[in-house]
Structures are given as structure tokens and as C-alpha cells.
């Protein structure tokens, strides 16, 4: 991942300066000490003082390189900077920022420049950057920052960090450790995401999730008591493993581990220890508890609570293995087979209602399923597309939410001796359904086979502490994703998993320095502009740096220059006056700083004229007047897949309407409101005949 300073310099065709930086994740340590107090001034100072210009460009944009040196490790990293200039006449790619739109910054004015900060993989250091390779997700780090100080961390595959003074930086946290999402694991353990060690905090959630819901979900899971967990698993098949893993770490810790948060923190710290330290801890626990670090026996006389024991049914299945070998692979009922089908997860609608957290009773689900079977019988059990089946049962069911839920999960439940299969047509890519009849003995054999395989693979370690991440994974799956007899904890986990948007913010006070003042100047549109964009939030203020003794007249001049330099829409903007946040006018001869050298205020409103309201490069979210109003509560684009109602043009999440991400959106989609209006209109039409 890194090389020595000598190797880095000898491999370069051009000489480059090296910047020392700290590896510390603490926000109190500045990684690069730049005297400038706005991002635009900081990046310009950084490039002019430290960067060497490369002998190539990316689509006409300058590429520069800086070497970063870590004092702690002696490693050197090349930081490539591409200054992308936005040109209104450039039609080769989208000039607006999709990431801004998805993180709630679509109301920001389009900036004239954005800077790509990239640390490539070590095997790519000698290769020139191109427009295609810039988009790669394999870089050690890639951040893009608009020249107004708002940016996005697009990917990071290293623990080393580099930062300069900005306003806000967003990221979409999809980091994982194996099959574990770190935003869930670290959220429960530390009360913050993995990126929280760099001060990234909750920004927005998908599907209408708000900050208070996220915080409550973190609190619910992190405060689970370890003793209560062991009690809840008593009498279950997983009791022995859960207690064995938890007890090992409790005995290994020098301090009490009362909550799940404390337990996971200790387990993560234990995983980071050297192997010899872990082995020593395991030996001490074994001696103190008289427990031998041997593999778990397959049969200890108790067949009720171990996932590694065998049952008489398994013995019988083993004895008859030769006769049943064909049945294990193909479940036969006359000419009907289950090749390629997933066996049903539930044997009743009661189990399905509990397992899928249904809003409807088991009786309503069962009645709705009978309506589906009736459609198949009327059509001689032919294959039916999702849209056709949905329309066919609407008359008898009515509740479109119930229909969508049932069509999403109906293949998971056995209806008598039949099952409705869901599959995607390989040619049309449309979701289709068919009715299959299955023999109960074949289902039982398949269920046993699947259960046996599942139990064997649940915990791949043999002794707690031998592979701490296997222990963590087992608790992650059985405590956070599935908990016995309650959906509260899995629901809380789902809330956290649906929160991927995080942001780091530099407060305005962090931009102040001894010889100058940094203030925020927010443009206040005139009356006509406010009416035209009435529902759109005002763009954020622009940071402006002025001398300590500057007057309001000088602030006007500095603000006008900064706004023109930063935004397309401000190319010819002229500042008329500076006002307080409460709209009160300020005398131009007044000083920005007053009252005994105290800052009078740090945020101002700016009025003026000359906004280019005709340019297409006005808002990062574009000019489209689209509306999001999903049943989950979302009122803005959150980056999740959406579909627009063909009647009212309002956007909804496909997931909230039981349309999976790999399913084709119906040719005609009506939201619940418009479908209800359509049904009522048809009824009135029939009544008037």
C-alpha cells in the first residue's frame, strides 16, 4: 500500500515536495497546516506550494501530484489532484453532481470548479489518470470537493487520512468486514459508524429515517444486557454456543461486560491483539474455568440445544441415503419438480406474518393467498406476470399494500401442498409467477438437508477466541439480524442499515485566524426568484475572508468577488447591500468587528442583482420540478431506487411497493392514491350507466 520516501522520489520523473502528516484520526490534529481559512484558498495554496504538475491532462484539466509522508510509519503516498473546470458548453458528461442531489444538497448552486483528490492503488501509481480511471472504486482514496468547500468521500480503502479545511464532506458508508456491515457493528459497539473516528456523523437516512430514529435504534441495541441475552436464548438450539462465546470474553476481560456495546468493544479489541496474546488469554480462561480448548463434540448426549449434534431423523436419513439420493436433488411429484426452487421458509401464514413482520393478520394473508390461487385455477395454472397477477386480484383484495406484500413473500410459504413460485423471465426480464404442487415428504427431506447445512456453517470456529471475528460474526447474525421471539432488535438493525449517509462538518469558528475574519455570506434572492423557487431551500452561504478591521463596504466587495469566482449563476452578480440574518440593514461604514474587538456576527445575508436565472447550471439537483412523497415518509431523493406514478408523477421507492431491485418496473405504475381514485372513477362510471 505504501513505499519508502527514497523509493517514491527515485521513481519520479519530476521532483516533488513531501508533506509530513499525522496518522491520528483525532479531529484535533491538523494533518496539513495551511494558513488559509477557506477551502478555495487552502487548495490553491496547497497546489502552488507543494504540488508538481504532471505532463498530461485529463480532458484538458490539470493534474498535480503531492507526496504525503507519515512520520509514524515512514510510508509515502502520492496524492493526485485533478482540477475539473465546469464548462456550460461541455456535453460529454453530466455537469451536475448526482451525489449532491442524493445527500440533500441539490439546492446548492453549481460551482465553476471541483477538485478530485485521489490516492491510487500502488500498482497504478505510474499510470496516467483518465476520465474512466478516475471513476474507479478501487482507489485507496477518492474525494471530490466543490470549490465552495462542500464535497464527497467517494471511496476509501485505507486507514490513513488526509484533510484540509472544508465546510462539509459527505460519504455513503457501505464499508464491510466480511459479511458484516461496519455501520451496524460499530454503531452498536461504539455508538457511531466506523467513519465516526474521523468525526463523521449522521446526515440522512433512506426510506424517511430521521436522526432520532437512528439514535433510538443505536440505543436499543447497544444497551442490551448480556445476562438478559443469555436468558433469552435459554432453551433454544443456539443456547450453548451463545453462552460459550459470551462467557469466554467475560472471563477474558479485566472489567465487567454488562451491555452488548461493552461486549462488542472488548471483542473487537481482542481481535486486534497479536496471536500470542490471544492464545495466552485462551489458556488462562481454560485453566480458570476447567474448560478444555477442544473442538465441540458432535454429540454430548443433549440433542436439544447444539447445532452440532445429530438427531435420530438425521441417522435415518443417513441410513437411507442411497435410496433417497435422487430425492435430495429433485423433489418429484408425478411430472412436477422443484429444480432450482428455494424450499418454502414457512409452513403457515402465522409463521410468515411473524417472520416477515407483516402489518396484516395471518387470516388476511391466507384469504389473500386464496384469491391468488383462484386466479391460477381460472387460468389453468398458466404462468402469469406480476403486473397481470396484481391487476387480477385487485378486485377481490382491494388493499394494494397487502397485494404487494403478498406477491413479494408468497413463495416463502406453503399453501396446502402447493407453492407459488417467483422467477424472472430471462428474455423479457419481467417477474413471473407459477403454481407448483409439491409432495410433503420431499419438502421435509429438503428442509432437513438445508437445516443441517445451515447449522454446520453457522459457526466455523471450534473454540471461542481462536478466531474472534468468527465469534463476532455469530453474535452479529444471531443477536442483531435475528433474535428469538421478538422483532424489536432486527427492526432496530434494519433502521441502522438503512442509514448510509454521514457527513463531517467544520464549524465556522474553526476557520478563524489571528489576522483575518472569516464570515458566511448567504445570497438572498429577490421577490420574483423566491416565488419561482418557493419550495426550494436557499443555498448555503459562501465563506468570505476579510481583514480584522474591515468595514461592511469592504465585505461587500470581497463577497462579490468570492461569489463571482465560485458559482456559474453569479458570473455577473453585483452586491447591493449586506444585512443581518434578521434582515436588518447595516451601515456600510460600520466595522465587521466591533464591541471591544469581539466579532459582531459571523453570518450575513447578501442582496443584489445579476443572477443568471437562465443558465442550466444553476442548481446541482437540476431544474426538474419533481416531487418525492413515498409511503415510508421520504420527501427527497435519498439515492434509493424510485419509480414515478404515471398519473400524478410523484416519485416512490420501488422497495416500498414490493418491487425488488432486480425486478423490472411495471410498464404502468399507479401509486395507492391514484389507484384508489381510478377505482372510484370506474365505480361512478358503472353506476351512471
Amino acid at each position: 500500500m505504501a513505499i519508502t520516501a527514497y523509493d517514491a522520489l527515485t521513481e519520479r520523473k519530476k521532483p516533488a515536495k513531501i508533506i509530513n502528516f499525522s496518522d491520528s484520526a483525532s479531529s484535533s490534529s491538523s494533518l496539513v497546516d495551511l494558513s488559509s481559512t477557506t477551502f478555495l484558498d487552502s487548495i490553491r495554496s496547497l497546489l502552488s506550494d507543494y504540488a508538481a504538475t504532471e505532463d498530461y491532462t485529463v480532458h484538458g484539466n490539470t493534474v498535480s501530484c503531492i507526496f504525503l509522508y507519515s512520520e509514524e510509519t515512514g510510508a509515502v503516498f502520492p496524492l493526485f489532484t485533478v482540477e475539473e473546470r465546469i464548462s456550460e458548453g461541455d456535453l460529454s458528461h453530466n455537469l451536475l453532481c448526482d451525489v449532491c442531489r442524493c445527500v440533500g444538497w441539490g439546492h446548492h448552486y453549481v460551482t465553476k470548479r471541483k477538485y478530485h483528490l485521489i490516492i491510487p492503488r500502488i500498482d497504478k501509481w505510474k499510470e496516467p489518470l483518465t476520465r474512466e480511471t478516475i471513476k474507479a472504486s478501487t482507489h485507496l482514496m477518492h474525494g471530490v470537493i466543490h470549490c465552495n468547500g462542500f464535497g464527497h468521500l467517494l471511496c476509501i480503502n485505507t486507514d490513513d487520512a488526509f484533510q484540509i479545511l472544508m465546510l462539509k464532506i459527505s460519504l455513503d458508508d457501505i464499508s464491510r468486514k466480511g459479511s458484516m456491515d461496519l455501520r451496524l457493528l460499530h454503531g452498536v459497539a461504539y455508538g457511531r459508524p466506523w467513519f465516526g473516528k474521523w468525526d463523521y456523523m449522521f446526515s440522512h437516512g433512506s426510506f424517511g429515517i430521521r436522526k432520532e430514529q437512528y439514535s433510538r435504534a443505536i440505543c436499543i441495541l447497544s444497551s442490551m444486557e448480556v445476562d438478559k441475552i443469555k436468558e433469552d436464548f435459554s432453551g433454544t438450539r443456539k443456547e450453548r454456543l451463545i453462552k460459550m462465546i459470551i462467557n469466554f470474553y467475560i472471563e477474558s476481560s479485566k472489567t465487567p461486560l454488562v451491555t452488548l456495546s461493552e461486549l462488542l468493544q472488548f471483542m473487537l479489541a481482542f481481535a486486534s491483539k497479536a496471536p500470542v496474546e490471544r492464545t495466552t488469554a485462551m489458556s488462562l480462561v481454560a485453566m480458570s474455568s476447567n474448560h478444555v480448548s477442544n473442538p465441540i463434540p458432535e454429540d454430548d448426549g443433549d440433542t436439544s440445544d447444539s447445532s452440532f449434534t445429530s438427531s435420530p431423523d438425521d441417522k435415518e436419513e443417513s441410513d437411507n441415503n442411497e435410496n433417497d439420493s435422487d430425492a435430495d436433488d429433485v423433489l418429484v411429484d408425478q411430472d412436477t419438480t422443484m429444480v432450482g426452487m428455494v424450499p418454502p421458509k414457512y409452513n403457515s401464514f402465522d409463521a410468515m406474518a411473524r417472520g416477515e413482520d407483516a402489518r396484516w393478520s395471518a387470516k388476511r394473508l391466507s384469504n389473500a393467498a386464496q384469491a391468488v390461487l383462484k386466479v391460477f385455477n381460472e387460468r389453468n395454472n398458466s404462468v402469469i406476470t406480476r403486473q397481470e397477477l396484481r391487476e387480477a386480484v385487485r378486485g377481490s383484495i382491494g388493499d394494494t399494500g397487502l397485494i404487494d406484500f403478498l406477491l413479494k413473500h408468497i413463495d416463502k410459504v406453503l399453501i396446502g401442498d402447493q407453492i407459488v413460485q417467483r422467477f424472472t423471465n430471462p428474455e423479457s426480464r419481467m417477474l413471473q409467477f407459477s403454481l407448483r404442487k409439491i409432495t410433503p415428504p420431499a419438502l421435509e427431506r429438503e428442509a432437513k438437508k438445508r437445516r443441517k447445512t445451515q447449522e454446520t456453517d453457522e459457526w466455523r470456529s471450534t473454540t471461542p477466541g481462536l478466531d474472534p471475528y468468527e465469534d463476532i460474526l455469530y453474535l452479529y447474525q444471531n443477536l442483531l439480524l435475528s433474535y428469538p421471539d421478538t422483532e424489536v432488535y432486527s427492526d432496530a438493525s434494519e433502521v441502522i442499515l438503512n442509514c448510509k449517509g454521514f457527513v463531517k462538518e467544520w464549524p465556522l469558528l474553526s476557520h478563524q485566524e489571528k489576522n483575518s475574519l472569516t464570515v458566511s455570506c448567504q445570497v438572498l434572492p429577490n421577490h420574483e426568484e423566491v416565488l419561482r423557487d418557493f419550495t426550494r431551500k436557499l443555498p448555503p452561504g459562501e465563506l468570505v475572508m476579510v481583514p480584522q478591521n474591515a468595514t461592511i463596504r469592504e465585505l461587500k466587495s470581497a463577497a462579490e468577488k468570492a461569489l463571482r469566482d465560485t458559482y456559474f449563476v453569479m458570473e455577473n452578480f453585483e452586491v447591493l447591500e449586506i444585512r443581518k440574518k434578521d434582515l436588518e440593514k447595516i451601515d456600510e461604514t460600520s466595522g465587521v468587528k466591533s464591541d471591544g474587538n469581539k466579532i459582531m456576527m459571523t453570518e450575513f445575508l447578501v442582496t443584489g442583482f445579476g443572477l443568471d436565472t437562465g443558465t442550466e447550471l444553476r442548481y446541482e439537483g437540476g431544474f426538474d420540478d419533481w416531487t418525492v412523497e413515498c409511503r415510508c415518509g421520504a420527501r427527497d431523493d435519498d439515492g434509493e431506487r424510485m419509480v414515478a406514478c404515471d398519473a400524478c408523477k410523484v416519485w416512490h421507492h420501488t422497495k416500498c411497493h414490493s418491487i425488488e431491485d432486480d425486478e423490472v418496473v411495471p410498464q404502468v405504475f399507479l401509486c395507492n392514491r391514484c389507484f384508489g381514485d381510478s377505482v372510484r372513477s370506474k365505480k361512478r362510471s358503472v353506476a351512471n350507466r
Side-chain angles (χ1 to χ4, degrees), residues 78-132:
L79 175 70
F80 291 93
T81 303
V82 180
E83 182 181 358
E84 182 181 353
R85 294 182 176 273
I86 309 299
S87 173
E88 193 167 12
D90 186 2
L91 303 178
S92 62
H93 66 293
N94 183 20
L95 301 178
L96 305 179
C97 182
D98 289 332
V99 186
C100 276
R101 175 173 51 81
C102 293
V103 301
W105 298 349
H107 61 290
H108 289 198
Y109 289 134
V110 177
T111 58
K112 293 182 176 181
R113 291 170 297 281
K114 53 185 176 183
Y115 296 84
H116 296 266
L117 305 180
I118 300 172
I119 302 177
R121 282 180 7 211
I122 188 170
D123 58 329
K124 301 292 183 181
W125 286 5
K126 295 183 180 180
E127 297 181 10
L129 294 171
T130 64
R131 176 170 286 182
E132 288 69 32

Side-chain angles (χ1 to χ4, degrees), residues 435-680:
L435 186 65
R436 312 291 290 272
K437 187 175 182 180
I438 308 299
T439 59
L443 280 173
E444 179 61 23
R445 285 193 297 270
E446 181 66 19
K448 285 181 183 177
K449 180 181 177 183
R450 181 162 52 94
R451 185 167 58 247
K452 185 176 180 181
T453 302
Q454 192 176 45
E455 291 173 357
T456 304
D457 293 341
E458 271 185 333
W459 190 52
R460 292 189 291 268
S461 184
T462 57
T463 305
L466 189 63
D467 187 343
Y469 277 111
E470 282 298 325
D471 302 338
I472 295 171
L473 175 60
Y474 188 78
L475 297 186
Y476 177 93
Q477 292 174 333
N478 291 287
L479 301 186
L480 302 182
L481 302 187
S482 61
Y483 198 92
D485 301 325
T486 180
E487 300 294 331
V488 172
Y489 302 123
S490 58
D491 288 348
S493 296
E494 186 175 2
V495 168
I496 297 172
L497 290 173
N498 281 330
C499 296
K500 299 186 287 287
F502 296 90
V503 67
K504 178 173 181 177
E505 183 173 2
W506 283 258
L508 190 56
L509 291 176
S510 66
H511 296 261
Q512 305 299 339
E513 61 175 36
K514 292 182 179 179
N515 299 322
S516 64
L517 296 175
T518 302
V519 297
S520 172
C521 293
Q522 185 178 33
V523 175
L524 184 65
N526 61 37
H527 182 68
E528 292 182 358
E529 293 164 347
V530 170
L531 290 179
R532 182 170 56 249
D533 294 329
F534 182 72
T535 59
R536 195 186 298 267
K537 293 186 293 186
L538 289 179
E542 178 70 11
L543 290 192
V544 179
M545 188 169 59
V546 293
Q548 287 272 358
N549 58 352
T551 63
I552 294 298
R553 182 180 290 111
E554 291 172 317
L555 177 59
K556 282 176 55 179
S557 177
E560 183 175 287
K561 180 180 178 181
L563 292 168
R564 289 185 174 186
D565 189 33
T566 304
Y567 302 106
F568 270 103
V569 72
M570 304 282 189
E571 184 72 42
N572 300 307
F573 185 71
E574 293 187 23
V575 177
L576 286 179
E577 58 185 6
I578 302 287
R579 297 192 179 196
K580 296 180 181 180
K581 292 292 286 185
D582 60 3
L583 300 180
E584 181 183 346
K585 294 184 179 181
I586 309 175
D587 188 347
E588 289 191 357
T589 60
S590 301
V592 177
K593 193 172 185 179
S594 62
D595 298 334
N597 283 336
K598 293 180 180 179
I599 298 177
M600 180 175 67
M601 63 185 67
T602 57
E603 296 181 271
F604 296 91
L605 293 176
V606 174
T607 63
F609 62 91
L611 285 177
D612 185 2
T613 57
T615 179
E616 294 184 1
L617 300 179
R618 182 170 184 180
Y619 297 113
E620 293 288 4
F623 265 121
D624 294 338
D625 187 18
W626 48 269
T627 302
V628 176
E629 191 175 337
C630 187
R631 62 171 63 169
C632 67
R635 295 297 180 266
D636 203 353
D637 187 357
D638 54 13
E640 302 293 340
R641 188 185 186 210
M642 290 188 172
V643 59
C645 174
D646 288 292
C648 65
K649 309 304 179 185
V650 173
W651 289 82
H652 306 259
H653 290 121
T654 53
K655 182 178 178 180
C656 293
H657 289 269
S658 300
I659 303 173
E660 299 295 338
D661 289 341
D662 58 350
E663 293 180 19
V664 176
V665 175
Q667 293 183 349
V668 177
F669 172 79
L670 294 179
C671 65
N672 289 345
R673 181 187 305 163
C674 293
F675 175 74
D677 292 343
S678 175
V679 171
R680 286 189 289 272

